Amino acid sequence: MEKRKIEIMDTTLRDGEQTSGVSFAGQEKVSIARLLLEELKVDRIEVASARVSEGEFKSIRKVAQWAKNRGYLDKIEVLGFIDGTASVDWIINTGCRVMNLLCKGSLRHCREQLRKTPEEHLEDIKQVISYAQRKGVDVNLYLEDWSNGMRHSEEYVYLIMDNLKDLPIRRFMLPDTLGILTPDETADFCTRMIRRYPDVHFDFHAHNDYDLAVANVFEAVKAGVKGVHVTVNGLGERAGNAPLSSVIAVIEDHLKMKTNVREKSIYHVSKIVESYSGIRIPANKPVIGDNVFTQVAGVHADGDKKNNLYFNDLLPERFGRSREYALGKTSGKANIMKNLEALGIDLDEETTKKVTARIIELGDKKEIVTPDELPYIISDILKNGTENQVIQLLNYSLTLTNGLRPTATVKIAIKGEVYEQTAAGDGQYHAFSKAMYKIYRSLNKPIPELLDYMVVIPPGGKTNAYVQTIITWRFEGKTFKTRGLDVDQTAAAIKATMKMLNMIENKTIPTFNYMQLP
């Protein structure tokens, strides 16, 4: 038996743009329209409301011209109003040819907002539809506030439908305008509409005020509606609309139906719209959030190694993504091994244990250690080894004040004796070094020479990435390097410095002078 296909109408450029603070530029609208129709393959897009502004008019003309050149003009829709000829003319002048006519789907809206009787409202609707037909504009019809209409004035809804169902209206669109419906109500109300008007094409338009938009779409499709409305990333007024990503997954996996949407493009398009809109995608947003395909607990990674015990049907590859295994304080050996496999790194058992222990230690400093940082941690372990901590850093304080030189106060213990000094420098690490040198001079201890200071940051541009500081020293004719790893560059340099001082104190400087200096 062939799967039933559900029509997807995306309204990111109209309803989604009603998100507080979101306004797409003309070229951004063209770009998003292209992504939705050519890359995602949605069936239709709603791009604007008629008569909003001169800027909107120019933007929609650009979209319409692009759509006409690409053969998509019948997929471009504009919200229109019961305003005589004004909306229809505005739509025609943009170059568009489909109007989504906004009518009143509840008696209260009809009486109190329009201050008209149902009969008067019906007459106004018919006049607009007649004019649109004469001008060659196709009409879909929104029953605004339909959910309240079904709750409180069901006979009014049927009166409107009975008088309009035989007119040239391609789709009747049922909005939960205020996001008030429960899944049970959605199923009930949609079923009543479909049973009473079996030959009508119904769309369902959900809002997410109670976080039930996707659940309500599920029930509407199950009841038999033929189309649903979505937005990329769930953009929309107040709590937003039903997110395209979740709706597609639910239709495919739970309803066992299909759409024309290309799943592999969902993440890519979502990230571009995130950039254009300035509205960040929550890290835990299903399908498209940064963390949703990341296993954190070590037991889950272990289960994935044993016949994918913690997989579900939402395989990341479907959506152009990949599964990751987080590295942090809850990591186990299985997480580490999964990441090492992905990086092509093979470690012995003892080193793997050390890496695991270090990641757990570092995980207390930040939530996640990224796979990009793993090679730096391994390098830190392999090249630094462990030293007898004859010299211990007990405490330090760094200050950076605009207009004043940075200062550092350092307290260390050398073989149990405590020393403290304060110094100013040209930078925080320079101030730390000068304070340390003060202590060493007071003890007549020899002072090494710093030859080179290099900072390496993993790719990805994250501001909380671990920093590896590599410092080259010369002491008693020997040149050697020490490394420090931390989320703070100065802290990493301090770790490298303490490593160097303990190597000198323990006389464990490499005997091989691998850097020939003039």
Side-chain angles (χ1 to χ4, degrees), residues 1 15 38 85 94 100 103 141 153 156 220 263 290 336 342 352 367 387 420 427 443 468-469 477 480 495 499 505 511:
M1 183 176 175
D15 221 357
E38 292 195 329
T85 63
T94 64
N100 292 337
C103 306
L141 189 135
S153 53
Y156 166 84
E263 288 185 336
D290 285 347
I336 308 298
T352 301
E367 183 179 353
E387 292 294 325
E420 181 177 332
L443 299 173
Q468 186 178 53
T469 303
F480 62 102
K495 288 180 178 180
K499 176 70 178 175
E505 197 71 26
T511 56

Side-chain angles (χ1 to χ4, degrees), residues 223-485:
V225 301
K226 296 180 179 178
V228 294
H229 298 183
V230 297
T231 60
V232 177
N233 302 341
L235 293 177
E237 194 169 20
R238 304 184 314 276
N241 292 40
L244 178 145
S245 49
S246 297
V247 165
I248 298 305
V250 165
I251 289 174
E252 175 71 28
D253 294 356
H254 290 294
L255 291 166
K256 306 302 180 185
M257 299 178 191
K258 61 181 180 179
T259 71
N260 287 326
V261 170
R262 183 184 289 159
E263 288 185 336
K264 276 191 174 294
S265 296
I266 288 176
Y267 181 65
H268 175 237
V269 173
S270 293
K271 296 301 286 185
I272 292 177
V273 171
E274 177 187 49
S275 175
Y276 286 165
S277 68
I279 304 297
R280 295 292 299 271
I281 300 169
N284 63 344
K285 185 84 168 175
V287 178
I288 54 175
D290 285 347
N291 294 347
V292 297
F293 295 117
T294 300
Q295 301 280 39
V296 175
V299 65
H300 294 167
D302 180 64
D304 288 350
K305 287 182 65 177
K306 298 169 181 174
N307 201 24
N308 299 329
L309 297 180
Y310 290 92
F311 280 25
N312 59 25
D313 289 338
L314 290 173
L315 297 176
E317 293 77 14
R318 285 173 55 185
F319 308 102
R321 305 192 62 186
S322 60
R323 192 171 303 280
E324 296 180 358
Y325 294 86
L327 300 168
K329 61 184 178 181
T330 61
S331 297
K333 180 182 174 183
N335 285 57
I336 308 298
M337 296 304 295
K338 282 284 189 180
N339 281 278
L340 292 174
E341 287 171 13
L343 293 168
I345 298 173
D346 186 21
L347 298 178
D348 59 48
E349 183 74 17
E350 186 60 30
T351 304
T352 301
K353 287 180 180 178
K354 291 179 181 179
V355 171
T356 303
R358 181 65 63 86
I359 286 172
I360 292 171
E361 174 193 341
L362 293 172
D364 285 327
K365 288 196 170 185
K366 72 171 197 164
E367 183 179 353
I368 294 292
V369 178
T370 69
D372 289 331
E373 293 166 330
L374 186 55
Y376 295 83
I377 295 170
I378 295 170
S379 173
D380 186 55
I381 291 169
L382 294 178
K383 294 179 180 177
N384 274 354
T386 58
E387 292 294 325
N388 180 23
Q389 298 295 308
V390 177
I391 303 173
Q392 294 179 308
L393 182 61
L394 302 179
N395 207 341
Y396 67 89
S397 172
L398 306 173
T399 62
L400 181 64
T401 306
N402 186 33
L404 299 175
R405 296 185 75 196
T407 60
T409 299
V410 178
K411 181 187 287 187
I412 65 171
I414 302 177
K415 298 180 179 179
E417 292 293 325
V418 176
Y419 305 92
E420 181 177 332
Q421 282 289 352
T422 298
D426 295 329
Q428 289 179 307
Y429 177 69
H430 185 231
F432 171 85
S433 298
K434 289 183 70 175
M436 291 292 294
Y437 290 168
K438 277 187 178 183
I439 295 172
Y440 266 53
R441 287 193 187 99
S442 71
L443 299 173
N444 293 317
K445 280 182 168 290
I447 298 171
E449 181 184 359
L450 188 154
L451 298 179
D452 190 37
Y453 179 108
M454 182 172 66
V455 176
V456 183
I457 301 175
K462 292 185 178 296
T463 57
N464 67 339
Y466 281 110
V467 176
Q468 186 178 53
T469 303
I470 305 169
I471 303 179
T472 304
W473 312 92
R474 182 161 56 194
F475 182 74
E476 295 182 347
K478 297 178 181 177
T479 301
F480 62 102
K481 295 181 180 182
T482 57
R483 302 161 189 261
L485 189 73

Side-chain angles (χ1 to χ4, degrees), residues 120-268:
E120 289 171 330
H121 186 40
L122 277 168
E123 186 57 34
D124 292 341
I125 295 170
K126 291 176 181 179
Q127 288 180 8
V128 174
I129 293 172
S130 177
Y131 182 68
Q133 187 179 25
R134 295 199 303 273
K135 291 292 186 176
V137 173
D138 290 331
V139 176
N140 301 312
L141 189 135
Y142 272 115
L143 292 172
E144 186 184 16
D145 201 38
W146 166 80
S147 46
N148 268 317
M150 291 299 288
R151 274 185 177 182
H152 307 298
S153 53
E154 187 172 351
E155 290 307 313
Y156 166 84
V157 176
Y158 297 152
L159 174 66
I160 297 295
M161 287 296 305
D162 290 343
N163 281 272
L164 298 179
K165 63 182 177 62
D166 295 323
L167 295 183
I169 298 171
R170 298 175 66 182
R171 301 172 185 86
F172 283 82
M173 306 191 294
L174 310 177
D176 181 15
T177 304
L178 301 178
I180 60 170
L181 291 181
T182 67
D184 286 344
E185 286 179 307
T186 302
D188 181 29
F189 295 164
C190 288
T191 298
R192 293 188 206 182
M193 296 293 288
I194 292 165
R195 285 178 179 171
R196 186 173 177 115
Y197 307 102
D199 298 327
V200 170
H201 177 120
F202 285 114
D203 281 2
F204 181 68
H205 179 109
H207 280 263
N208 203 35
D209 295 70
Y210 284 92
D211 208 17
L212 291 172
V214 176
N216 288 339
V217 167
F218 174 86
E219 292 297 340
V221 171
K222 194 164 67 168
V225 301
K226 296 180 179 178
V228 294
H229 298 183
V230 297
T231 60
V232 177
N233 302 341
L235 293 177
E237 194 169 20
R238 304 184 314 276
N241 292 40
L244 178 145
S245 49
S246 297
V247 165
I248 298 305
V250 165
I251 289 174
E252 175 71 28
D253 294 356
H254 290 294
L255 291 166
K256 306 302 180 185
M257 299 178 191
K258 61 181 180 179
T259 71
N260 287 326
V261 170
R262 183 184 289 159
E263 288 185 336
K264 276 191 174 294
S265 296
I266 288 176
Y267 181 65
H268 175 237

